Amino acid sequence: MTKAEIQQVKQRFGIIGNTEALSRAIDVAIQVAPTDLSVLITGESGVGKESFPQIIHQYSRRKHGQYIAVNCGAIPEGTIDSELFGHEKGAFTGAIGERKGYFGEADGGTIFLDEVGELPMPTQARLLRVLESGEFIKVGSSKVQKTDVRIVAATNVNLTQAIAEGRFREDLYYRLNTVPIQIPPLRERGDDVLLLFRKFSADFAEKYRMPAIQLTEDAKKELLAYPWPGNVRQLKNITEQISIIETNREITAAILQNYLPAQNIQRLPALMGTRESKGFESEREILYSVLFDMRQEVAELKKMVHNLMAERAGQVGQVGQVGTVVTTPVVTTHQPSVPAIIHTMQPAVCKDDDDIQDTEEYVEEPPLSLDEVEKEMIRKALERHHGKRKSAAKDLNISERTLYRKIKEYELD
């Protein structure tokens, strides 16, 4: 497609940006639309993946049929089969009537499965059958039904890693990934950040009937330098906050910094030595890795210090040296939401031979497993939000269904 045609598509579907990777994704979506091939859209949370299934549907022969978008991560595991494939009356407790299901409703149209990586394994097997033969069976029924549905899926999960961990079917992955479309994160889109900010500020100015906010040059640099872990969704949210709260409509870098969340990962201590490059699904996993690696290094450091203290204590006993420095480990707990595994060394100076202090008995703490750390973080998130699971799930950056499963697994309910 020409640049002019791609620009028309952007205007039609409200897509802002001129990045080459974004234009390429739109071009692929339009090229594949006339076919019935399955499409898998990948990208980080908040990049705007939901626009691309609509482009595919509107430029396909199915544009007059049903378009149904399903958030797989928001449907409880116990009812997702019923939602997708329908159920018969009396199929389970509460099934007081027959339900058609999304695949029945979308016959002749397009169904968009968002967060497809969150589907439980039994549902994945049912979905694979639909992709292979167009057949499905309602919950509580033995009758095979046919459907003619175009499936477009999206995920921010690394499905290759999920396959290796046994959480996603490899055969389903290849069926869904017939045509892949990768949406670039906001931090890789350059000046698109400024275009989006300008568009959002104009929209909120109209919505709230106030002058649009504008950025100074230093604020623009700050906006471009920020990594935007929440992508376009985060940028829109921050723009709305500033539009409502700030009385000064010219936003400086100092004002902007008050609304940009601290980049905690970048502020963690640098770790000694080199490590192999790893792929992580979220900042939470990066934090776990840093903490575990730091724990090992601190344990080695404490061992060295204890050996040194024992050696110096022996020397003092023989020579009677005055002013020997003895270091005593003191546990600090400045971060209550993280296991207290970081130790500092506090010097204690002895005045004479009789005042030599004995070192504290050192007991090595058993290493915490990832499950224990995850359980503790979930428990504290639930406490912070007074048991509100929706808020806790958002805080932990996981879906509600995943949180429900973890609560049950760790017996936190």
Side-chain angles (χ1 to χ4, degrees):
M1 293 188 69
T2 65
K3 291 184 178 180
E5 290 173 326
I6 292 178
Q7 191 62 34
Q8 289 178 357
V9 175
K10 291 178 181 177
Q11 292 176 356
R12 180 179 178 184
F13 292 92
I15 299 175
I16 307 295
N18 298 317
T19 306
E20 181 63 29
L22 182 64
S23 298
R24 173 61 181 164
I26 295 172
D27 186 34
V28 172
I30 295 172
Q31 296 296 333
V32 76
T35 73
D36 274 337
L37 296 174
S38 300
V39 179
L40 180 63
I41 302 168
T42 57
E44 297 177 7
S45 179
V47 295
K49 297 187 291 291
E50 62 280 354
S51 298
F52 288 83
Q54 298 178 37
I55 294 174
I56 294 171
H57 178 70
Q58 289 300 322
Y59 281 85
S60 73
R61 63 179 178 82
R62 300 171 179 271
K63 63 181 179 180
H64 299 298
Q66 277 268 41
Y67 172 80
I68 297 179
V70 183
N71 188 336
C72 301
I75 304 175
E77 186 173 342
T79 62
I80 192 165
D81 283 354
S82 171
E83 294 287 327
L84 293 176
F85 307 106
H87 64 252
E88 296 289 346
K89 180 180 180 180
F92 51 85
T93 303
I96 57 177
E98 182 182 353
R99 179 184 175 84
K100 197 170 184 179
Y102 295 133
F103 278 97
E105 293 287 352
D107 189 18
T110 304
I111 188 166
F112 170 43
L113 300 177
D114 196 9
E115 294 188 37
V116 71
E118 298 292 337
L119 285 176
M121 294 298 283
T123 308
Q124 292 180 31
R126 286 174 173 262
L127 178 58
L128 180 63
R129 182 175 183 180
V130 175
L131 285 163
E132 290 179 337
S133 62
E135 298 178 346
F136 68 96
I137 300 176
K138 288 184 175 182
V139 177
S141 174
S142 58
K143 181 182 177 181
V144 176
Q145 299 193 31
K146 299 282 290 185
T147 184
D148 176 23
V149 174
R150 168 75 168 281
I151 296 178
V152 181
T155 182
N156 59 4
V157 173
N158 186 334
L159 292 185
T160 304
Q161 183 176 344
I163 291 169
E165 295 173 355
R167 296 185 289 111
F168 201 83
R169 294 179 63 110
E170 186 174 11
D171 47 5
L172 177 59
Y173 170 72
Y174 289 117
R175 281 286 183 178
L176 290 172
N177 198 36
T178 306
V179 178
I181 296 178
Q182 174 70 35
I183 314 300
L186 186 57
R187 62 181 172 274
E188 296 178 4
R189 291 176 55 182
D191 289 343
D192 284 359
V193 177
L194 301 179
L195 295 176
L196 286 162
F197 184 90
R198 191 180 306 126
K199 174 65 167 60
F200 293 148
S201 63
D203 290 345
F204 293 128
E206 181 179 354
K207 179 179 179 180
Y208 299 114
R209 298 180 181 180
M210 58 177 63
I213 55 175
Q214 296 183 356
L215 298 173
T216 61
E217 288 302 318
D218 59 340
K220 289 179 181 179
K221 293 178 181 178
E222 185 76 23
L223 206 71
L224 290 170
Y226 190 71
W228 299 109
N231 293 290
V232 178
R233 185 184 297 123
Q234 182 187 14
L235 175 61
K236 184 176 182 180
N237 179 269
I238 287 177
T239 308
E240 185 171 19
Q241 290 180 38
I242 298 174
S243 298
I244 296 172
I245 297 173
E246 293 298 326
T247 55
N248 186 357
R249 309 317 286 173
E250 185 175 63
I251 307 302
T252 64
I255 296 175
L256 183 61
Q257 287 172 358
N258 295 329
Y259 295 88
L260 298 179
Q263 302 172 45
N264 294 326
I265 296 301
Q266 296 181 3
R267 296 179 182 177
L268 288 173
L271 302 180
M272 295 183 295
T274 59
R275 299 183 177 84
E276 297 180 0
S277 175
K278 302 177 182 179
F280 296 96
E281 290 300 322
S282 66
E283 293 179 358
R284 182 162 52 102
E285 293 184 12
I286 297 174
L287 178 61
Y288 289 165
S289 177
V290 170
L291 291 175
F292 294 147
D293 290 345
M294 188 181 298
R295 181 186 185 90
Q296 182 178 359
E297 291 176 354
V298 170
E300 293 174 357
L301 179 61
K302 288 190 290 186
K303 183 178 179 181
M304 293 173 57
V305 170
H306 279 281
N307 291 339
L308 181 61
M309 288 191 299
E311 182 180 341
R312 288 187 176 181
Q315 293 174 353
V316 171
Q318 295 174 3
V319 181
Q321 179 180 354
V322 178
T324 302
V325 176
V326 181
T327 55
T328 305
V330 178
V331 178
T332 60
T333 56
H334 298 302
Q335 297 178 336
S337 61
V338 179
I341 63 175
I342 304 174
H343 301 261
T344 61
M345 310 305 296
Q346 179 177 343
V349 180
C350 302
K351 297 180 179 179
D352 50 49
D353 294 352
D354 296 332
D355 294 330
I356 295 176
Q357 300 179 13
D358 293 332
T359 61
E360 294 181 2
E361 181 182 358
Y362 174 70
V363 180
E364 179 64 34
E365 299 177 358
L368 291 175
S369 68
L370 180 59
D371 288 342
E372 291 171 329
V373 175
E374 187 175 59
K375 178 179 178 181
E376 181 66 13
M377 293 187 73
I378 291 174
R379 185 183 67 79
K380 289 185 177 297
L382 290 169
E383 288 181 356
R384 284 197 301 272
H385 296 283
H386 308 290
K388 295 181 179 178
R389 297 182 177 182
K390 183 175 181 180
S391 300
K394 185 176 181 181
D395 188 10
L396 294 167
N397 196 25
I398 59 176
S399 66
E400 290 182 55
R401 191 169 63 78
T402 299
L403 178 60
Y404 294 151
R405 186 173 70 249
K406 292 294 183 181
I407 290 175
K408 184 177 180 180
E409 179 182 341
Y410 296 134
E411 298 179 353
L412 293 173
D413 49 1

